[in-house]
Amino acid sequence: MIVLGALVAAAAFFLQGPITSLMERFQPPEDYSGAGTGEVVFMINEGDGGETIAGNLEEQDIVASSEAFIDEVTSRSEQPIFYPGAYRMANQMSAEDALDALLDPENKLENTFVIQEGLWARDALANAAAATGIPIEELEAAASDPQALGLPAEATSVEGFLFPATYTFGPDVTADEVVQTLVDRSFQSLDEAGVAPEDRWETVIVASLIEREAGSEADAYKVSRVIRNRLDANQFPTQLLQFDSTVHYGTGDDTLVTTTDAERADASNPYNTYVHPGLPPGPIGNPGDVAIDAAQHPADGPWLYFVTVNLETGETVFSATFEEHEAAVQQFLRYLDENG
């Protein structure tokens, strides 16, 4: 009997973990009840999906578990749509109340705006003006002295240094505070990426090209290599980048994908990399973290050309020879014909 009792006790000990795990599988995830207490600000950033939002809610102790929030999302008859911005929430809310709060426009705080990767400075400042109510003229004036904001000596504008992110400001924020915050956030990203202050200017120019030209994160590192290869006179004697995105920046038209023969031949456009060798005179947009990293760590490869052959999927063909590139261009032209 003593031996039998010992065996039973041992079996119970070793089976306790599996039995507990099995029971937990059939129990609902941990959840709070009610609308919670206190007040916290919860941020939904551009690109955040349901799982990311759920994890962030749990991390801030707004919900008891990400699983409970996800279960609540999937139980709704209509799939909830989440918008970037700052939301007024509470501590320890039930998953149901937390989801309702995020879907209630009344809980979305004002003075919140998003700068997307690659956005031109003029449009970034326009977003800030629309969200904060600060006149665009005041924001432009605050951005008019790049060196006073800490930008490199070469900078003639804030282009490239208004970091892509979601921003929320108080009701009394000034134009100077808004612009300096965006610039400081750019410096923060560059510092975290290991970019030395003396290398900021060239890094941001290259990153801005990558941001405008790459169709995916993986392509960003290949585009970076194409830029480096083309700037190498031994590999590409003309050192012409031949990017449509730079031409567009010089013409001030951000709505087009291609360029005309006349635009590509226009030497009066200082950003026309079809006629002016080397890097353009400044950034052509505001790059994010991936583009900054790609600028510093180009992929290994012999590519000198690339072309996006499908505007819907972003599929891009990289080529080492002009003949390969011409075949890819024909593929792109067929895509344009077939898709109007």
Side-chain angles (χ1 to χ4, degrees):
M1 291 297 292
I2 293 174
V3 172
L4 181 60
L7 290 174
V8 171
F13 176 80
F14 286 109
L15 290 174
Q16 183 177 5
I19 292 172
T20 300
S21 298
L22 184 63
M23 292 177 63
E24 288 177 350
R25 289 180 56 189
F26 294 98
Q27 292 179 346
E30 185 180 359
D31 196 4
Y32 295 127
S33 61
T37 59
E39 184 174 306
V40 296
V41 175
F42 179 73
M43 293 293 301
I44 297 180
N45 298 306
E46 186 73 23
D48 283 356
E51 290 189 5
T52 299
I53 293 171
N56 292 339
L57 287 168
E58 179 182 346
E59 184 176 347
Q60 285 189 232
D61 197 31
I62 295 174
V63 299
S65 66
S66 59
E67 293 82 2
F69 184 79
I70 292 172
D71 285 352
E72 182 62 33
V73 170
T74 57
S75 71
R76 300 290 174 103
S77 57
E78 293 186 11
Q79 186 68 27
I81 299 176
F82 301 105
Y83 297 97
Y87 292 83
R88 184 182 297 104
M89 306 283 283
N91 288 306
Q92 300 188 350
M93 307 176 73
S94 71
E96 179 181 5
D97 283 314
L99 180 55
D100 288 340
L102 289 177
L103 299 179
D104 185 352
E106 293 296 321
N107 289 322
K108 194 171 187 293
L109 299 175
E110 299 299 327
N111 292 358
T112 297
F113 61 92
V114 176
I115 296 178
Q116 296 175 324
E117 285 83 356
L119 198 66
W120 288 358
R122 70 177 191 192
D123 300 320
L125 293 177
N127 285 0
T132 62
I134 298 173
I136 184 65
E137 295 80 9
E138 292 185 19
L139 289 166
E140 290 172 343
S144 63
D145 189 348
Q147 282 66 50
L149 294 164
L151 268 62
E154 301 91 334
T156 58
S157 75
V158 293
E159 191 70 81
F161 291 88
L162 303 179
F163 191 76
T166 300
Y167 296 91
T168 298
F169 294 96
D172 299 324
V173 69
T174 67
D176 289 337
E177 290 169 342
V178 169
V179 174
Q180 191 66 67
T181 297
L182 272 55
V183 169
D184 288 346
R185 179 62 184 83
S186 178
F187 293 160
Q188 175 189 335
S189 181
L190 291 166
D191 290 344
E192 290 175 350
V195 179
E198 62 270 22
D199 296 330
R200 285 175 176 172
W201 182 242
E202 181 173 321
T203 299
V204 169
I205 292 177
V206 173
S208 73
L209 298 175
I210 295 168
E211 195 69 79
R212 299 293 297 192
E213 291 285 342
S216 68
E217 181 173 333
D219 285 349
Y221 295 86
K222 292 183 178 180
V223 171
S224 182
R225 172 52 61 192
V226 171
I227 293 171
R228 297 302 180 188
N229 288 349
R230 280 186 167 240
L231 294 178
D232 181 355
N234 292 323
Q235 297 187 66
F236 205 72
T238 67
Q239 295 180 285
L240 293 170
L241 292 179
Q242 298 177 312
F243 285 176
D244 287 348
S245 58
T246 63
V247 176
H248 295 153
Y249 188 82
T251 62
D253 190 345
D254 195 24
T255 64
L256 301 174
V257 175
T258 58
T259 54
T260 66
D261 291 340
E263 288 172 334
R264 292 191 293 273
D266 183 9
S268 68
N269 180 353
Y271 286 85
N272 184 357
T273 53
Y274 284 90
V275 295
H276 300 297
L279 293 174
I284 62 167
N286 293 283
D289 284 323
V290 171
I292 291 171
D293 186 65
Q296 299 179 92
H297 306 103
D300 292 329
W303 313 293
L304 292 169
Y305 308 89
F306 65 90
V307 60
T308 300
V309 296
N310 188 313
L311 299 179
E312 293 181 10
T313 65
E315 178 187 355
T316 301
V317 175
F318 291 81
S319 306
T321 68
F322 183 72
E323 291 73 21
E324 293 172 346
H325 177 62
E326 277 295 288
V329 169
Q330 292 304 313
Q331 183 180 346
F332 174 56
L333 294 176
R334 287 194 299 273
Y335 167 85
L336 292 178
D337 288 340
E338 294 170 359
N339 293 273

